[in-house]
Amino acid sequence: MEHTVETTKNPLAEEKIGKLIVRFAIPAIISMLVSSLYNIVDQIFIGQGVGMLGNAATNIAFPVSIICTATALLLGIGSASNYNLETGKGNVEEANKIAGTGLGLLFICGVIIAAIVLLFLNPLLYLFGVTPDVLPYAQDYTFITAFGIPFLVSTTGGTHLIRADRSPTYSMTCMLVGAIINTILDPLFIFTFNWGIKGAAWATVIGQFVSGLLVIIYFVKFRKMELWFSMLRPRVKYMKAIAALGMASCINQIAMAIVQITMNNTLRHYGEMSVYGTDIPLACVGIISKVNMVFMAICIGISQGCQPIWGFNYGAGSFGRVRKTFWRAFEISVLVGVVFFIVFQIFPHQLVAVFGDGSTEYFQFAERYFRIFMFMTFINGIQPMSSSFFTSIGKARLGIVVSLTRQVLFLLPLILIFPLFMGIDGVMYAGPIADAAAAVVAIFYALRELNIMKNLEKKAV
């Protein structure tokens, strides 16, 4: 009886798919875009106020941000996915306990990461591929932003649980308010107070603190789930369940960090042997990766918005709704990809110019990198969307396999092998080949899973 009541009362089981996707995906997209703005706004103002070396410094510090996001997604998506599946099955009390464990772990892990960055700052920066000229800028930026890490992790992960608690608009607000504060403080600190790259870092930390505070306020005052303080104590039983469904997103982010570190070191090595030198490739790739974050934010936002729909209906056995949601998300992801492909191919110079001036070689490298490395943008949303789909329906292994394809199985080997024969151009051509291969793998596994659901649906009739 409990299962029936929960299913009929929950709009995830009854509302039209298109309406649900709009309701959940738009706030999720905005949340992801806002999250990307932390890095992009810093990059723009640093480029205008500090210059190319400042842009290179944020690129060097970027793996720290990726590691924070990986941890937040492991715990946030893992706990939210379990919460959706358990509520779909009618196990409300179990779902609440999983959410509590996820929230407790988010803050604990954020504090641990911050401590590691502060204690091992210089070794980490050298590992990330810093050059002597960029080092002082990277030290200042990374040291200060480390103080915001606990709030960054809590916000990024906590908003997934807020969305799972059927409050997508509040989830979006948490991210939006912090980004607005960051955007206002950036020019004030950098230009008015003349704090340079330190000003950008402090603006980021203050924005992250406010966002984290809003997440805490939600779970204290506005939550719909029954959550008690005692539930925040991490329990091994729930930690295992969270890790199983959050691992795919986490591994994908960690793979991105590994690729970013490898990319930085490869660009530094082969850049030194080219007309571009060491710092131009680091600065350009840093800018382009931030611009690409806008595209990926939309694609990931679509999949995150679909997670509650996929998870709840799969748990309730409504496979037709799951399949319909997947195909709608697929169509939207490809459409968004086509739009960004056109923009990246036609306006690379204009996009790079937003982040500051540079030499002829600087813009030459940036434009070629944009057009070649990002050539398969029109299908780049399929792989992260499919990985999120598998995680949402409890297929953790499939989610991990698909999440690993682009970064680890294809891109990482190619950016090591291609430059041996093609120099720094090899890094550029590795991108579209890895993207195409990852999309093929994702589509193959998704079709197989959707056919299984279709057969289960026929048997149930």
Side-chain angles (χ1 to χ4, degrees):
M1 179 64 69
E2 185 184 11
H3 176 79
T4 306
V5 171
E6 178 66 22
T7 302
T8 54
K9 282 186 177 180
N10 199 313
L12 294 171
E14 298 178 333
E15 224 169 83
K16 288 184 177 179
I17 296 299
K19 189 176 178 181
L20 278 174
I21 291 177
V22 170
R23 178 181 165 190
F24 281 88
I26 288 179
I29 290 168
I30 293 173
S31 294
M32 288 300 300
L33 284 172
V34 167
S35 179
S36 301
L37 280 176
Y38 276 117
N39 290 297
I40 293 169
V41 169
D42 279 350
Q43 196 91 48
I44 292 172
F45 285 118
I46 289 169
Q48 300 290 344
V50 182
M52 186 184 74
L53 293 178
N55 276 332
T58 60
N59 185 34
I60 293 298
F62 194 47
V64 174
S65 177
I66 296 175
I67 290 165
C68 292
T69 304
T71 305
L73 295 183
L74 170 69
L75 303 173
I77 289 181
S79 50
S81 297
N82 277 285
Y83 180 86
N84 291 325
L85 286 167
E86 293 300 328
T87 52
K89 295 173 184 175
N91 303 327
V92 179
E93 185 178 350
E94 193 78 355
N96 293 334
K97 290 177 179 178
I98 289 170
T101 291
L103 284 171
L105 284 171
L106 281 167
F107 189 75
I108 292 169
C109 290
V111 171
I112 292 171
I113 295 170
I116 291 171
V117 172
L118 291 170
L119 288 171
F120 303 101
L121 180 62
N122 282 350
L124 286 172
L125 293 178
Y126 282 112
L127 175 66
F128 297 160
V130 74
T131 64
D133 290 340
V134 175
L135 180 61
Y137 297 95
Q139 286 172 324
D140 288 342
Y141 187 81
T142 311
F143 179 82
I144 294 169
T145 53
F147 291 100
I149 286 175
F151 306 104
L152 170 63
V153 174
S154 297
T155 302
T156 306
T159 50
H160 287 279
L161 278 165
I162 293 173
R163 200 177 301 117
D165 199 36
R166 302 197 300 279
S167 298
T169 304
Y170 191 99
S171 172
M172 174 190 69
T173 303
C174 292
M175 303 296 295
L176 189 60
V177 170
I180 291 171
I181 290 171
N182 182 41
T183 305
I184 293 170
L185 294 180
D186 255 331
L188 179 67
F189 289 172
I190 294 172
F191 300 110
T192 305
F193 293 173
N194 292 317
W195 289 357
I197 201 164
K198 291 181 181 179
W202 280 119
T204 299
V205 170
I206 294 169
Q208 289 168 346
F209 171 77
V210 174
S211 291
L213 192 62
L214 288 173
V215 170
I216 294 169
I217 289 170
Y218 177 85
F219 286 105
V220 171
K221 294 190 67 175
F222 304 122
R223 68 184 186 275
K224 297 179 181 70
M225 62 178 69
E226 291 184 14
L227 198 63
W228 310 107
F229 188 77
S230 60
M231 292 180 180
L232 299 179
R233 180 173 60 86
R235 296 186 172 108
V236 175
K237 173 186 175 184
Y238 302 127
M239 287 167 65
K240 289 180 178 178
I242 290 169
L245 295 190
M247 192 61 69
S249 298
C250 174
I251 288 176
N252 190 44
Q253 289 292 318
I254 291 173
M256 283 175 62
I258 294 169
V259 169
Q260 184 76 38
I261 293 166
T262 307
M263 182 90 77
N264 288 346
N265 284 284
T266 303
L267 291 169
R268 183 179 62 179
H269 177 73
Y270 289 98
E272 192 173 12
M273 296 186 284
S274 72
V275 296
Y276 306 112
T278 57
D279 294 327
I280 284 176
L282 282 175
C284 290
V285 172
I287 288 170
I288 291 164
S289 67
K290 301 299 190 303
V291 174
N292 187 49
M293 282 175 64
V294 176
F295 164 63
M296 293 308 296
I298 296 173
C299 293
I300 294 171
I302 293 165
S303 63
Q304 288 181 357
C306 292
Q307 277 182 341
I309 310 169
W310 285 327
F312 183 90
N313 284 287
Y314 191 85
S318 301
F319 300 124
R321 289 175 65 81
V322 177
R323 291 190 297 111
K324 189 174 180 181
T325 305
F326 176 87
W327 285 118
R328 192 67 61 85
F330 183 95
E331 291 165 1
I332 298 169
S333 295
V334 172
L335 179 62
V336 171
V338 169
V339 172
F340 274 86
F341 168 78
I342 294 169
V343 172
F344 290 167
Q345 294 298 313
I346 297 176
F347 304 110
H349 185 96
Q350 291 86 344
L351 289 170
V352 175
V354 171
F355 296 86
D357 294 326
S359 63
T360 303
E361 291 80 10
Y362 172 81
F363 280 104
Q364 183 186 48
F365 182 86
E367 289 173 35
R368 290 191 70 234
Y369 193 91
F370 243 129
R371 290 195 171 108
I372 297 171
F373 193 86
M374 307 303 299
F375 188 76
M376 299 302 292
T377 298
F378 56 92
I379 58 170
N380 278 359
I382 297 172
Q383 182 249 358
M385 188 272 291
S386 299
S387 175
S388 180
F389 166 68
F390 296 130
T391 299
S392 300
I393 64 173
K395 305 286 184 177
R397 288 184 180 178
L398 263 181
I400 291 171
V401 169
V402 173
S403 70
L404 285 174
T405 51
R406 181 185 184 271
Q407 302 291 341
V408 175
L409 297 183
F410 302 127
L411 185 57
L412 190 59
L414 291 177
I415 61 175
L416 291 173
I417 296 169
F418 277 17
L420 294 174
F421 307 99
M422 305 170 68
I424 200 165
D425 284 0
V427 175
M428 302 185 196
Y429 288 99
I433 295 173
D435 292 337
V440 169
V441 172
I443 292 169
F444 170 79
Y445 281 116
L447 287 174
R448 192 182 71 171
E449 198 62 38
L450 292 168
N451 284 332
I452 291 171
M453 285 189 214
K454 193 173 183 179
N455 292 331
L456 287 172
E457 201 176 2
K458 287 178 180 177
K459 289 179 182 178
V461 175

